[in-house]
Amino acid sequence: MPEIAMGALSQNGTVLLARRSSMRKVHPDRWSLPGGHIEEGEDAETAMCPELMEEIGVMPELWQFAGRFGSEDSPETSVTFHVYHVDKWRGRPRLIGDEHTEFRWFTAAEIEKEAELALPQLTEMLANLAMRETGTPA
C-alpha cells in the first residue's frame, strides 16, 4: 500500500495549504498539504523533509507527528497518510514545478468552512493545529 508523508506548516493560528494543480489525476484543484511518496526503505519522518524541500522549498527544523490515516478509497487504491506538524522551518514557501497552483494560510474556521480539502480526514486535524497555535481550546 502506498504511503505519503505530509507537512503541516503553521504560524500565527494558521496552517499552510497548497492547491493541487488541475492537471493532477487525483483530487485536482483541491487543497491539501505538501508532501510526497515514501520510498522503499524510508520511514515517513525521514521522507517528509526532502519532500517539503522539493515541493515548496522549505527545510523543516522542528516538527512532531500529528497523525496517520488511510484514504477512503477502495482497498486496491488506498493510501496511508502520515502528517507532521512543522512549526519551524528554513526558507520561504514557494511554488516549485507544476504540482500546485497556489498556497494560502488558513485559520481553523476557514479550514472547516471554506477549504475544499482533497482529504476530508484532514479537516479536524488541521483545525486543531491552527487552534493550538492561537491558544484557543481545540
Side-chain angles (χ1 to χ4, degrees), residues 2-98:
E3 296 186 78
I4 306 285
M6 307 170 98
L9 278 66
S10 66
Q11 68 178 12
N12 304 322
T14 62
V15 174
L16 182 71
L17 295 180
R19 186 181 294 276
R20 295 172 61 83
S21 165
S22 60
M23 307 309 275
R24 302 292 296 268
K25 290 180 189 171
V26 180
H27 307 295
D29 295 317
R30 297 282 185 155
W31 292 101
S32 190
L33 292 172
H37 288 271
I38 300 169
E39 302 297 329
E40 179 103 18
E42 259 184 335
D43 63 44
E45 189 170 358
T46 303
M48 185 260 310
C49 292
E51 287 295 339
L52 290 185
M53 185 56 128
E54 227 173 79
E55 285 205 5
I56 64 171
V58 302
M59 181 53 72
E61 293 184 330
L62 185 61
W63 64 87
Q64 61 189 359
F65 182 69
R68 179 178 62 200
F69 60 89
S71 64
E72 296 176 346
D73 300 327
S74 61
E76 58 275 356
T77 61
S78 65
V79 177
T80 300
F81 296 91
H82 304 263
V83 180
Y84 292 87
H85 175 210
V86 180
D87 51 13
K88 186 176 180 193
W89 60 89
R90 200 171 50 249
R92 174 173 267 176
R94 65 187 190 278
L95 292 173
I96 297 174
D98 59 359

